[in-house]
Each structure stands twice: as C-alpha cells, then as structure tokens.
Amino acid sequence: MATANTAAAGGYVQPEVDVRALTEVLDGDYADIRDLVRTNLVAYASVLEEAEELGIDAFRERVREIVVEMAATGQTGMGFPQEYGGGGDVGASIAAFETLAYGDLSVLVKVGVQFGLFGGAVLQLGTARHHKAYLPDLITGRLMGCFAMTESGHGSDVQSLGTVARYDHDTREFVLTTPGDEACKDYIGNAARHAELAVVFAQLEVAGKAEGVHAFVVRVRQDGEVVPGVLIEDDGRKMGLNGVDNGRIRFDGVRVPREALLNRFADVTADGVYESPIENPGRRFFTMLGTLVQGRVSVAGAGVGAAKVALTIATRYAVRRRQFAAAPGTDEQLLLDYGLHQRRLLPLLARTYALHFAQDVVRTQLHDVFSGVQDDEQARRLLESRAAGTKALATWHATRVVQECREACGGAGYLSVNRFAALKADSDIFTTFEGDNHVLLQLVAKGLLTHYASEFEDLDQLGTVRHVAGIAVETVMEKTSVHKMLERVRDLLPGGDEWDREAGLLDSEYQLAMVRFREEHMLAGVARRLKRGIDEHRDPGAVFSYVQDHVIALARAHVERLVLEAFVEKVRALPDDGGNKEALGLLCDLFALSTIEADRAWFMEHGRLTVQRSKAISREVNDLCRKVRPLAVDLVDAWGIPDEMLRAPDLVG
C-alpha cells in the first residue's frame, strides 16, 4: 500500500504528517458535532478527579448532572427526530458517542443508557403515542429511564426471558410479574437511583397464549419514590463505572395500561386480540431486536475511543522517557527508539486506525438503514452482522491496548493520576455488554453459513447445523464465497499457484488475497465439519458445540477481512498530494502484515506461507515500525483528544 517517496539515491524519505488535515479526515462529515463534544469534555474535565474523590452516591449524582447539562447543548439528542427536539441525524449521534469516549466512561455509559438504550427503545419500538408522550422530556434528561432486558438467569438468551406480561381483558391492562429470582432484571443502568420509567422486555401472554418477548413502558418511580409492586435493589460497587447506578428490578403484579406496549411491530386491541404485521414469531423477535443495533455500533466506537486515549498517553510517554544508554558516554535512549517498544505499541496504533475506518463503514450503514436510504431486509441483516463483529473486535482490542499501554508506562502508568486505572476498570465491561463477544461472533458466523437466508431469523444453533447439512457444502461456498478466491487466485496476481510467494509484501492485493483466502477456507471447513457430523447421525447440538472454536475463528477472520478492506479503500480514496496518504499507507501495511504475522501458523499449515516468506513478513513489520516511529506522535495527536482528558502530566508532558 505505502508508496514512500524515494530520494535520488533510492533511499526512503519520511512523509510529513499534516496533523490538522488528518484530524479532518478522521472526523469526516461530523467534525462539528465532534468539536462540540470535545468542548463539553473540557468543560467537565473535573469529573476525572471527582470519580476518585467523591463517594459513590455523590459521584452518581455528579454524573447525572453532567449528562443533563450536556443534553442541553444538543450533543446527546442528535439521533432523535427534530419535531421532538432532536437533531435528526443518526450518524451524528454515533459520532458524538465515539468522541465522548475520550472522557469519563461513567458519563459515556450514562448517556448510552438514557439516550441510546432507553430512548432508542422508545423511538424504535414505539409509535407516535409513545414518541409524543416521552421523547421531548427524555431528550432533555428531565425524564430519566432505564432499559430492562437482561435478567439474572437470562443474559444473551433474550428469547428465554422469564418476566411475564399478561393481558387482563377486563381492565385492559398488562400485569407484569417476576416469577422467580432468575427472572429479576439485573445490572440495569439508571435503575438503582434515577430511572422513573423502564422499558421492560417480557413474555407477552394474551388469552392464555404466549406471543413471545415484547417491550413495555413501565413506571418504576414517582416523585423519586419506587412505586408499589416494584422492588429495586442496588447492585452496589462494580469493578468500574461506579458513576452509573446499576440495579436489580422485580415486578409483583405491576399493572400498566394497554397503551404501555411499544407497538411498532405488534399490538393488543382493546378486545384482547393480538395483532402483528409480521406473522412469523421468530422473524418478529429478530426484527424487534434488530432495531436496537445502534447500541452495538456505539459500544464498538467507544472501544476504539478508549484505545486511542491509552495509546496517546503511552506514545507521548515513550518519546519523553529515557532508559539505558546505547553506548558508553551517550545519552540514555528514548523508549520508542527501542525496537521492542515499537513492536509493542505501533501495530496497536495501526490496528486502532484500521478499526476507526471500519467503524466509519458501520456508522454509515446504520445511518443509511435507519434514515431509509437503504432500508431493505438484506441491508439490515448485513448491518446487524457487521455491527456484531466490529463490536467484538473493537472491544477486545480496547482491553488489550489499555493493558499493553499501562505496562509500557511502567510504574508511572500504575498511578491513578493518569487514565489507565479508570480506563482498565471502566472499559473492561465493553467486551460483554451489548452482547458477549463470543456470542456475537457466533451470530456473525451463522449469517455466513446460511448466507443470511430467508430462514435466518428462525435458525437457532441446531437449525443452523441442519440447514448447512441439508445442502451441499459446495452450495454453501457458492452462495457465501465473497471473492471466489480458490478459482480466481491465478488471475489476482502473477505467479499462479506461487502467487503468495512472488507478490510484493506491500501490495494491498496480496494482503487482501491472504485474508480473503483464510476466511473462505475456514468457511468451507466449518461447513464440511457440520455436514460430516450430521452424516454420522450425531446430535446437532453436540456437532455445533464440537466446532464452536472453528466458528469463532471463521467470524474473526471475516471481520478482520472487512476491517482491512475498509482501511485499504480509505487510503486509496485519499488525494495523492501531501504526506498523510503515505503515512496512512504505512499504517495500513503495518496492520495487514501484523495481522498475517499473528496468524502465521494457520497460513503455514494451509500452504500459504513458506518459512522464508514468514520471516520476510516479520522483517517487513519491523521495518514498518521503524518508519512509523517518527510519525507516531503526530498520528496520535490527529485523534484530537483534549489534553485535559489525558490527565497524566508526568507521562505526557
């Protein structure tokens, strides 16, 4: 990818980064909203200290105050319709949330609960009557709410929730009941202190018939007091995010009017007749959940934002801190001049840029689907899959980056005066909320195996196994193969079957071919294993369990391919003038080759890497690290993180 300038003697010439111009590229179409958030972050920078100094009750109140005051600036309401006081721009709402991740993450999550989960459910699952009743006060923060889906015994398996909502025909009300401890709504943000309303997900029963999971608006507090029939317990202190009041909710025969049902996809008439425009219960359920995909897109962006903060601190520290002299009588060497330190930080820097551009693609898809630009069934399925996969990779990346950067700052990184303690504690939950990452990657793989078939929503794990086993493996490949790699390999690059040995390592077509081959080979392998298990008359559940490691590996490979494609396409689209394109090209090469290097065992096992070629890739990664090293500070500065958010004067200067 990188086409470095060459001097007359054939030497490498370092590109110059225009930091301001690169920030404009990164901010994209949402520079104004991102700048508004940056301004607000600086205005409330004291919250970073208050998180440590205040008691838990006082800190929760402080976080609520900040959220309401930020709402008054318009930054948190961008995704709501303009007629209710919002900004009418879904993409802008995600960009604002991504940028808010530079600051205190309790504030971020409180915003996500109030405006993303609670507000998003009212907006996406409700109809005009709910929008008129709740959105104007919800958008300003005058009306606080919570999103009561997760239960103590049912986390990722939403279809099996235990809370019941029975329709009482005589009173035209729904009666909500928690049948046992496992059905308690648990870990619910905003529940312990501030929520007045809850969007409650419950099993709907009408005239004795179960109609599946539906959502209801339920009052849980009146004038600050918990209402009769509702029991709320405080979940107490957590590993982090202690500015968010998570709680546990039980319902003991709580009655709500018939109009409390969020009825965009289903309704119950006054006469007690259940109606829905979507006849299939499974499809209805997944359609309902699909409208809430914004949460996963938001968390993915927050993970990338947290990684940026950690990398900025560690990179700046590494160009200030000296340790050990390279030779007698010389100055001690800067940390970032050590090859090992470059190896630790710079591939992570490249991957963060890659995930940033991949997040751009997901955000655009979300905006197009929810704005009606491309609102068809296939577009929604692809969005759900891509959002799930990007969320998984981005949040795992954040956890890894924060840990590596903390270690790279030594003892100084362990002091709470810098951001690492809070980042580690507060971002760790990103890997499991809005969907456990391993469960999300199974969702991604399911879509690949079934080619997002019309039966997609109806297929559980057993159904997926039977679906794949019921058709020829070649048909699976024909339907799902993205680039027909096995057939086209001779056409892609010179060298025929030796393409992987003769192509230039910095040729983006070579890099893309490698990750595409890996994905498609894994897809064929999983399909064959599933079919073999069924052909041997083994239990479908046992068959799927046996290949789960392959399923997760396939999904990871698929998402990494999407991430690399997003990065390559972004670099190709940049104008050729200036050094920013070359600098991003170096990062793109570094991301691609370090990704291949990290999975070199697989590529060697499957004949796509020789020992010599593998060693050449490692040498190239080292060389790319050396080339990126002089650009590193400019590259992290281009993220535009306010200095007040770094909070580490001894580390960053």
Side-chain angles (χ1 to χ4, degrees):
M1 170 61 65
T3 54
N5 292 327
T6 54
Y12 168 77
V13 175
Q14 176 185 316
E16 293 185 8
V17 175
D18 183 335
V19 174
R20 179 171 294 183
L22 185 52
T23 301
E24 291 177 358
V25 170
L26 294 165
D27 283 357
D29 295 333
Y30 300 110
D32 290 344
I33 185 66
R34 292 187 191 276
D35 283 341
L36 171 61
V37 176
R38 290 182 177 111
T39 299
N40 286 341
L41 286 172
V42 173
Y44 296 102
S46 62
V47 71
L48 299 176
E49 285 78 32
E50 291 161 349
E52 299 170 0
E53 297 166 355
L54 297 177
I56 187 169
D57 291 333
F59 184 48
R60 286 172 169 179
E61 292 303 319
R62 179 59 177 148
V63 168
R64 187 195 65 80
E65 290 172 3
I66 292 173
V67 168
V68 173
E69 290 175 22
M70 283 185 172
T73 71
Q75 83 164 54
T76 61
M78 293 303 299
F80 294 98
Q82 291 177 323
E83 63 258 41
Y84 301 112
D89 190 331
V90 176
S93 72
I94 303 297
F97 194 80
E98 293 164 358
T99 312
L100 190 60
Y102 293 162
D104 177 79
L105 296 184
S106 283
V107 172
L108 174 91
V109 171
K110 189 84 167 179
V111 165
V113 167
Q114 169 69 13
F115 305 102
L117 295 178
F118 172 60
V122 172
L123 175 64
Q124 298 297 338
L125 300 180
T127 52
R129 72 189 186 205
H130 305 106
H131 299 165
K132 292 176 183 177
Y134 304 122
L135 289 186
D137 284 345
L138 185 160
I139 292 170
T140 64
R142 288 192 297 268
L143 174 65
M144 300 292 283
C146 63
F147 181 85
M149 176 185 280
T150 300
E151 295 180 354
S152 303
H154 303 94
S156 300
D157 187 4
V158 179
Q159 277 183 296
S160 299
L161 293 178
T163 304
V164 179
R166 294 184 178 89
Y167 184 66
D168 185 336
H169 180 270
D170 294 335
T171 63
R172 298 183 178 179
E173 293 174 316
F174 294 103
V175 184
L176 277 81
T177 304
T178 302
D181 291 343
E182 288 193 347
C184 287
K185 298 298 181 182
D186 216 345
Y187 327 118
I188 308 301
N190 268 4
R193 290 289 184 273
H194 297 139
E196 298 172 57
L197 298 179
V199 170
V200 180
F201 290 79
Q203 301 285 355
L204 173 61
E205 291 185 10
V206 181
K209 182 182 178 183
E211 300 290 357
V213 174
H214 292 67
F216 304 81
V217 178
V218 181
R219 179 162 291 280
V220 295
R221 282 187 180 85
Q222 185 74 49
D223 299 325
E225 298 297 325
V226 178
V227 301
V230 175
L231 176 65
I232 298 180
E233 301 174 57
D234 195 324
D235 278 328
R237 282 194 172 272
K238 308 180 292 291
M239 284 176 61
L241 298 177
N242 283 303
V244 182
D245 50 318
N246 294 80
R248 182 178 298 113
I249 312 175
R250 298 180 70 112
F251 302 96
D252 183 12
V254 176
R255 290 179 172 269
V256 296
R258 183 178 63 88
E259 292 77 14
L261 173 64
L262 293 174
N263 63 332
R264 177 179 174 187
F265 298 111
D267 207 350
V268 176
T269 69
D271 294 331
V273 178
Y274 180 80
E275 299 177 338
S276 174
I278 306 174
E279 291 187 13
N280 184 289
R283 187 161 300 153
R284 185 189 314 129
F285 171 76
F286 282 103
T287 300
M288 176 184 72
L289 285 194
T291 64
L292 306 177
V293 69
Q294 181 173 335
R296 286 176 184 162
V297 178
S298 298
V299 174
V304 176
K308 289 175 180 177
V309 175
L311 276 165
T312 300
I313 295 171
T315 301
R316 289 194 186 179
Y317 181 67
V319 296
R320 296 181 68 244
R321 176 75 156 86
R322 294 181 179 274
Q323 187 160 284
F324 301 114
T330 62
D331 290 338
E332 289 184 300
Q333 198 164 338
L334 290 171
L335 291 182
L336 202 54
D337 287 337
Y338 286 100
L340 177 59
H341 214 77
Q342 294 171 10
R343 266 285 192 161
R344 294 175 70 182
L345 296 184
L346 300 184
L348 296 179
L349 173 65
R351 192 175 185 88
T352 304
Y353 263 84
L355 286 165
H356 174 102
F357 293 125
Q359 175 72 6
D360 282 350
V361 175
V362 182
R363 187 195 323 107
T364 300
Q365 288 182 336
L366 178 79
H367 182 85
D368 289 350
V369 166
F370 281 76
S371 301
V373 175
Q374 190 179 14
D375 189 12
D376 58 80
E377 197 171 3
Q378 184 77 354
R380 283 184 174 267
R381 285 179 185 153
L382 292 173
L383 168 63
E384 290 164 21
S385 175
R386 189 156 191 158
T390 305
K391 185 268 179 185
L393 263 63
T395 55
W396 271 328
H397 175 68
T399 300
R400 177 188 173 195
V401 165
V402 172
Q403 178 63 29
E404 191 66 54
C405 289
R406 203 294 300 159
E407 292 183 30
C409 292
Y414 200 63
L415 299 176
S416 62
V417 71
N418 65 58
R419 291 293 306 278
F420 290 123
L423 284 173
K424 280 175 65 70
D426 293 344
S427 68
D428 195 72
I429 191 65
F430 287 5
T431 60
T432 46
F433 75 14
E434 284 300 309
D436 175 278
N437 285 352
H438 286 95
V439 175
L440 293 183
L441 288 185
Q442 290 182 71
L443 172 69
V444 172
K446 175 181 162 185
L448 293 171
L449 287 164
T450 61
H451 190 48
Y452 310 97
S454 59
E455 305 91 345
F456 180 73
E457 291 91 346
D458 306 328
L459 298 179
D460 55 12
Q461 290 182 352
L462 309 188
T464 302
V465 174
R466 294 190 181 103
H467 176 89
V468 175
I471 58 178
V473 174
E474 290 73 19
T475 305
V476 176
M477 289 301 298
E478 180 64 28
K479 284 185 175 181
T480 59
S481 181
V482 184
H483 296 91
K484 305 296 184 292
M485 177 57 58
L486 302 177
E487 293 83 0
R488 290 186 53 216
V489 77
R490 289 182 176 82
D491 302 327
L492 271 171
L493 296 163
D497 287 333
E498 304 298 316
W499 63 273
D500 57 322
R501 303 179 190 183
E502 297 187 12
L505 294 180
L506 302 185
D507 185 335
S508 59
E509 288 300 330
Y510 163 74
Q511 298 161 0
L512 290 167
M514 289 288 276
V515 296
R516 288 167 179 167
F517 174 87
R518 178 181 61 168
E519 176 188 347
E520 293 177 14
H521 195 287
M522 286 182 173
L523 176 61
V526 171
R528 289 191 185 97
R529 286 178 173 87
L530 292 173
K531 183 168 176 58
R532 186 185 309 128
I534 295 299
D535 289 345
E536 294 171 355
H537 306 291
R538 293 161 56 198
D539 177 73
V543 171
F544 189 87
S545 179
Y546 187 73
V547 303
Q548 267 182 312
D549 56 335
H550 298 284
V551 166
I552 297 299
L554 162 63
R556 274 182 175 269
H558 169 70
V559 182
E560 282 194 329
R561 189 261 297 173
L562 294 177
V563 173
L564 180 57
E565 286 180 344
F567 204 167
V568 169
E569 289 167 11
K570 185 66 178 183
V571 176
R572 286 176 174 171
L574 292 175
D576 291 328
D577 55 322
N580 286 350
K581 182 168 185 170
E582 292 182 26
L584 289 180
L586 292 171
L587 286 180
C588 190
D589 287 332
L590 180 54
F591 168 67
L593 293 184
S594 60
T595 297
I596 295 169
E597 182 189 47
D599 208 11
R600 70 169 84 192
W602 188 93
F603 286 108
M604 294 176 78
E605 286 174 355
H606 294 84
R608 297 272 65 95
L609 269 186
T610 63
V611 172
Q612 294 76 16
R613 188 74 161 174
S614 175
K615 291 179 179 179
I617 286 176
S618 292
R619 287 193 298 271
E620 194 66 58
V621 169
N622 288 336
D623 187 56
L624 286 165
C625 284
R626 286 189 289 270
K627 290 175 178 176
V628 170
R629 184 264 177 262
L631 314 176
V633 173
D634 286 343
L635 290 169
V636 298
D637 285 352
W639 290 326
I641 302 172
D643 286 342
E644 292 84 351
M645 296 301 98
L646 303 180
R647 199 191 167 216
D650 290 340
L651 294 180
V652 302

